[in-house]
Amino acid sequence: MTNPLLQDWTTPFGLPPFDGIEDTDFGPALEAALAEGRRNIAAIAEDPEAPTFANTLEALELADRLLDRVAGVFYNLAGADATPAREALQREMAPKLAAYSSEITNNRALWRRIETLWQSREALGLTEEQARVLMLTRRSFLRAGAALEGEDRARLTEVKARLAVLGTQFTQNLLAEERGWFMELAEGDLEGLPGFVVDAARAAGREKGAAGPVITLSRSLIVPFLQFSPRRDLREKAQKAWAARGANGGDTDNRAIAAEILALRQERAQLLGYESFATYKLETEMAKTPGNVRELLMQVWEPARAQAQRDAEILTGMMREDGINGDLAPWDWRYYAQARRKVEHDLDEAELKPYFQLERMIAAAFDCANRLFGLDFTPLDVPLYHPDVRAWEVTREGRHMAVFLGDYFARGSKRSGAWCSAMRSQSKLDGETRPIVVNVCNFAKGDPALLSHDDARTLFHEFGHALHQMLSDVTYQSISGTSVARDFVELPSQLYEHWLDVPEVLEKHALHVETGQPMPRDLLQRLLAAQTYDMGFQTVEFIASALVDLDFHDGPAPADPMAAEAETLARIKMPDAIVMRHATPHFAHVFSGDGYSSGYYSYMWSEVMDADAYRAFEEAGDPFDADTAARLERFILSAGGSAEADALYTAFRGRMPGVGALLDGRGLSADSP
């Protein structure tokens, strides 16, 4: 029987043939793709012809086409719709894929060809894009250990393989704990909860097979429960379960895994000649050094902590009025902050949420993309990997630009959080290849599904990443779309969040779920006036996580990460009533892979730019200014990694920004009210 993953896909737009793929197809397909990749790499390395950009670098770009295709499907499904078979195959393939990667960078003949091209690069007549690909390829080989010899070379290969196994295990442990915990609610426990929370809890109960409503560890359910439930005992139980993910003992405990990961990363850095993993990791980012990262974070930490302390005093006073004499706790903050927002801004999440229908927010994201970049979105009726997933063809003036998949609802088979990935990336080397882009979220189901304002911001954020993929216009896949510095990759996503709060966008798309009427202007004004509300809390919980991440990697690896986490929080004087956004045992950004390790700060680094970038539209007097949007597409969204990030930003804006725009945007500057 033929394996559909290894056949030519005659589906519309070359989509994976989801309706014909079985879990049993993935293992053989991945093995076949690895074998083909090895043959292709051997042919490049052993080519008797002198190395050229075409027979070496371009051949490398195309060597893993089959592996990219198969893995693109498998790993998207493994994250968004896990099954026991897929999880087992993930564990099996992690060391194999790491070994394959090491085989390539350890191939001495291949390395000599790349180095020969590098040494003669001035005489090759390369385009700017080709010169960039050559530099990045050589650098990635060097940073993977291509220049190492003997025992160091062999040990680095072992370290990378073990890290791949541990990252997979960390992810699967976290998914298992999130999938396994829920808190059943009696009918009396629903008192005080808005209808949308009750509906979401009932839907979650049905999904879990419970007898009644439940609270799960999905952010879109647990956060509104913590905001609205008057039951302090239930809030405490929910908050503690959320904070304890990955630290509950047994087979799914991630604490020892985190310690081993940190030790291996430090060893990896030292094998490559770096003082610390943070020094190694940040070398290729915009920030360049741990010191630069720390300087940025501390510039924001002090005013954020001061604001959070002022807010804590007010919330404690409200708690006292309720007859509670204990200290303000993490399970109290959201509840009293929500009550305070209602008093100070006359703003209640229960009043807002009916205006943020999922369908209308998807339409809003599409509408903004149309007005800014001329993109049109047409629904597709095609087989997909889960009934919740939807697809659209993306076109511009009739030209096919991408296929966009949206997978929006929380379920037990999906890891937590929200992300954007590509099942196929844009390139032009082997003919015009347009991307297949996926946005995955974890919104609570409802009929219809209603979002919080924060959920809607998440939707816009991930769609900003999707635009970075859709509008990519480069020749080489290795620099297409989001293949940029980690502290630059969040610029398009965070920038796109700004359009959610453009008044004319809300007036058009924030329509009441029952009446169909637009959000009243006074409510709209109150919403916009409260944009920096509780920003001390939000900034503190983020920066605490970023500083812990940096401290983990900036120096010797801690033997006890939990003790090291506590030391960092004590040093920066973390407020008692606020916890890290991501504690170590569930810090998937940092421990599920190397992507955001030493790099969680990048959201804030990018925010410095996104705050300044949106000012370009404000200075033009129109959030949809055509000239500014065209510059944004040309220098940021279509350029991928074709130039250094600071050069791309400067080409768009004319200069690099300072931290002032970020502090202003968060309401934390000295001039903020």
Side-chain angles (χ1 to χ4, degrees):
M1 186 173 180
T2 58
N3 189 321
L5 289 163
L6 299 176
Q7 307 305 308
D8 290 334
W9 294 348
T10 58
T11 50
F13 310 107
L15 282 163
F18 290 112
D19 55 347
I21 298 172
E22 302 289 341
D23 276 355
T24 53
D25 295 325
F26 284 115
L30 286 166
E31 295 288 359
L34 285 172
E36 179 178 295
R38 288 188 171 97
R39 290 192 296 271
N40 292 339
I41 295 299
I44 298 167
E46 298 164 10
D47 189 342
E49 297 293 325
T52 65
F53 189 86
N55 70 20
T56 303
L57 271 298
E58 291 188 340
L60 269 176
E61 288 276 330
L62 300 173
D64 286 334
R65 281 180 299 181
L66 180 59
L67 182 59
D68 289 342
R69 186 173 77 162
V70 176
V73 179
F74 175 69
Y75 283 98
N76 272 276
L77 267 61
D81 193 27
T83 65
R86 292 170 190 171
E87 291 181 338
L89 185 58
Q90 269 188 294
R91 295 190 293 271
E92 178 187 340
M93 292 306 302
K96 292 182 178 181
L97 289 168
Y100 174 70
S101 177
S102 292
E103 287 174 28
I104 295 173
T105 53
N106 288 343
N107 188 310
R108 305 315 294 257
L110 180 58
W111 167 242
R112 284 194 295 270
R113 294 179 73 87
I114 294 169
E115 187 64 11
T116 297
L117 291 172
W118 177 253
Q119 296 301 331
S120 60
R121 61 191 180 279
E122 300 298 336
L124 297 179
L126 302 179
T127 66
E128 289 185 11
E129 191 175 328
Q130 289 172 331
R132 175 76 172 166
V133 169
L134 173 58
M135 185 278 289
L136 291 173
T137 303
R138 177 179 181 269
R139 187 176 74 181
S140 70
F141 269 66
L142 280 172
R143 288 170 58 79
L148 293 181
E149 302 286 350
E151 292 182 2
D152 287 350
R153 187 185 189 86
R155 178 55 185 162
L156 184 61
T157 297
E158 294 173 358
V159 166
K160 289 190 288 187
R162 180 60 178 162
L163 283 169
V165 170
L166 292 171
T168 299
Q169 189 177 350
F170 188 99
T171 302
Q172 293 190 354
N173 285 351
L174 181 56
L175 177 59
E177 294 220 343
E178 291 174 340
R179 185 166 50 204
W181 187 93
F182 58 89
M183 180 175 68
E184 296 189 65
L185 300 178
E187 289 300 313
D189 299 334
L190 302 175
E191 183 180 348
L193 297 178
F196 72 85
V197 180
V198 173
D199 291 344
R202 293 194 191 282
R206 290 191 293 272
E207 197 265 339
K208 293 293 184 184
V214 304
I215 299 301
T216 68
L217 295 176
S218 168
R219 175 174 287 271
S220 290
L221 180 52
I222 199 168
V223 167
F225 180 78
L226 292 170
Q227 287 176 317
F228 290 105
S229 176
R231 289 281 302 277
R232 192 175 191 236
D233 58 330
L234 296 181
R235 296 200 312 266
E236 179 178 2
K237 182 178 179 181
Q239 170 72 39
K240 286 183 173 179
W242 197 25
R245 289 170 292 158
N248 291 299
D251 293 339
T252 58
D253 195 296
N254 275 333
R255 287 171 289 190
I257 293 173
E260 187 177 355
I261 287 173
L262 293 173
L264 289 172
R265 284 177 179 165
Q266 174 69 1
E267 183 181 0
R268 176 183 178 184
Q270 291 181 330
L271 285 168
L272 292 167
Y274 294 87
E275 180 182 0
S276 69
F277 185 81
T279 304
Y280 160 76
K281 186 68 184 297
L282 294 171
E283 179 184 49
T284 59
E285 308 298 335
M286 292 182 75
K288 301 301 182 188
T289 69
N292 289 339
V293 172
R294 199 177 302 280
E295 180 182 1
L296 168 70
L297 293 175
M298 294 310 296
Q299 282 186 68
V300 185
W301 172 259
E302 294 301 339
R305 180 180 177 277
Q307 182 60 55
Q309 294 285 63
R310 291 191 292 270
D311 292 339
E313 292 177 6
I314 296 172
L315 300 184
T316 300
M318 296 173 66
M319 200 169 73
R320 295 285 183 270
E321 292 175 4
D322 281 351
I324 301 173
N325 295 319
D327 294 332
L328 184 72
W331 47 89
D332 297 316
W333 191 293
R334 285 182 170 86
Y335 180 74
Y336 285 101
Q338 169 64 27
R340 179 187 172 198
R341 185 170 76 154
K342 183 170 177 56
V343 171
E344 294 187 1
H345 295 278
D346 193 19
L347 205 59
D348 186 340
E349 192 71 43
E351 181 184 14
L352 282 173
K353 201 153 187 175
Y355 291 97
F356 288 99
Q357 300 173 60
L358 173 61
E359 295 303 313
R360 296 303 309 170
M361 292 302 101
I362 295 171
F366 289 176
D367 186 24
C368 292
N370 175 266
R371 296 181 64 182
L372 288 163
F373 310 114
L375 299 178
D376 294 300
F377 299 81
T378 304
L380 294 174
D381 184 11
V382 292
L384 297 167
Y385 63 84
H386 190 277
D388 287 345
V389 185
R390 301 157 64 184
W392 293 265
E393 182 191 6
V394 187
T395 58
R396 179 156 61 184
E397 296 179 348
R399 176 196 173 199
H400 175 75
M401 296 293 290
V403 172
F404 175 65
L405 306 184
D407 184 355
Y408 295 109
F409 295 122
R411 54 179 174 267
S413 61
K414 183 190 291 186
R415 64 180 172 89
S416 62
W419 64 93
C420 176
S421 58
M423 289 191 182
R424 184 176 67 220
S425 297
Q426 179 271 330
S427 67
K428 293 186 282 191
L429 177 59
D430 191 31
E432 181 72 17
T433 300
R434 299 308 306 172
I436 300 172
V437 189
V438 189
N439 273 181
V440 183
C441 299
N442 271 281
F443 302 139
K445 268 192 174 180
D447 186 21
L450 301 179
L451 307 183
S452 67
H453 185 250
D454 187 57
D455 287 338
R457 181 176 283 115
T458 296
L459 186 149
F460 268 67
H461 178 101
E462 298 307 333
F463 194 73
H465 282 308
L467 288 172
H468 205 176
Q469 298 275 14
M470 295 175 194
L471 294 171
S472 180
D473 187 24
V474 298
T475 300
Y476 301 100
Q477 179 178 311
S478 63
I479 57 170
S480 74
T482 56
S483 298
V484 299
R486 181 64 61 177
D487 49 11
F488 191 63
V489 76
E490 297 298 337
L491 169 61
S493 54
Q494 292 179 184
L495 176 59
Y496 203 66
E497 293 177 28
H498 289 270
W499 276 275
L500 170 63
D501 293 328
V502 171
E504 61 189 277
V505 173
L506 290 171
E507 289 169 352
K508 180 177 179 180
H509 295 285
L511 306 181
H512 196 279
V513 64
E514 295 177 357
T515 68
Q517 294 300 305
M519 184 181 293
R521 180 158 291 274
D522 72 308
L523 178 57
L524 173 60
Q525 291 171 344
R526 283 182 275 136
L527 172 64
L528 297 177
Q531 289 305 289
T532 60
Y533 177 74
D534 210 25
M535 196 55 73
F537 169 88
Q538 295 177 43
T539 308
V540 161
E541 66 166 2
F542 170 82
I543 295 182
S545 293
L547 285 169
V548 167
D549 168 40
L550 184 63
D551 283 355
F552 276 161
H553 298 97
D554 186 19
D560 183 349
M562 300 305 293
E565 173 189 296
E567 289 171 9
T568 294
L569 298 180
R571 188 188 74 247
I572 63 176
K573 299 179 181 178
M574 180 75 166
D576 292 336
I578 305 178
V579 297
M580 295 167 60
R581 186 173 178 87
H582 303 289
T584 298
H586 57 259
F587 207 163
H589 280 79
V590 170
F591 292 107
S592 289
D594 278 354
Y596 282 89
S597 55
S598 297
Y600 192 62
Y601 77 92
S602 60
Y603 289 93
M604 187 148 288
W605 190 275
S606 294
E607 189 176 341
V608 172
M609 289 179 286
D610 87 64
D612 179 71
Y614 190 70
R615 281 188 176 178
F617 288 88
E618 292 175 329
E619 291 164 5
D622 181 359
F624 296 97
D625 179 69
D627 291 340
T628 309
R631 290 202 318 276
L632 178 64
E633 178 177 350
R634 177 184 175 188
F635 295 118
I636 306 293
L637 296 175
S638 72
S642 60
E644 290 293 321
D646 54 356
L648 293 173
Y649 189 85
T650 301
F652 163 65
R653 194 69 169 105
R655 54 165 174 73
M656 289 297 292
V659 75
L662 179 149
L663 292 173
D664 290 345
R666 286 183 171 247
L668 299 173
S669 66
D671 297 330
S672 299

